[in-house]
Amino acid sequence: MGWNRGGHERQTQLPEALPVVTFAVGVVLLGATALLVLASLRLSRRAIKLERQELFD
């Protein structure tokens, strides 16, 4: 019985940790996409400013 119980504890630990790991991965991915969006917005703003300067000059 003790050996079976130990195996069962190992099985319950994995599903408990799984949502935490997936949540952490999701948060990291969201953060990365947010940084990429901000970077692209800044780059596009710079490009628009440069184009406006070229047009006015």
Side-chain angles (χ1 to χ4, degrees):
M1 287 295 284
W3 186 77
N4 265 342
R5 192 177 174 193
H8 185 66
E9 282 177 5
R10 284 183 188 174
Q11 285 179 352
T12 49
Q13 278 179 1
L14 219 148
E16 282 177 8
L18 202 71
V20 177
V21 172
T22 49
F23 179 76
V25 170
V27 168
V28 169
L29 285 172
L30 277 171
T33 47
L35 284 172
L36 284 170
V37 167
L38 284 171
S40 62
L41 280 172
R42 286 181 182 178
L43 284 171
S44 63
R45 282 179 185 174
R46 284 182 186 176
I48 290 168
K49 282 181 182 178
L50 285 170
E51 284 179 0
R52 282 181 182 173
Q53 284 178 0
E54 287 177 359
L55 284 169
F56 285 123
D57 287 346

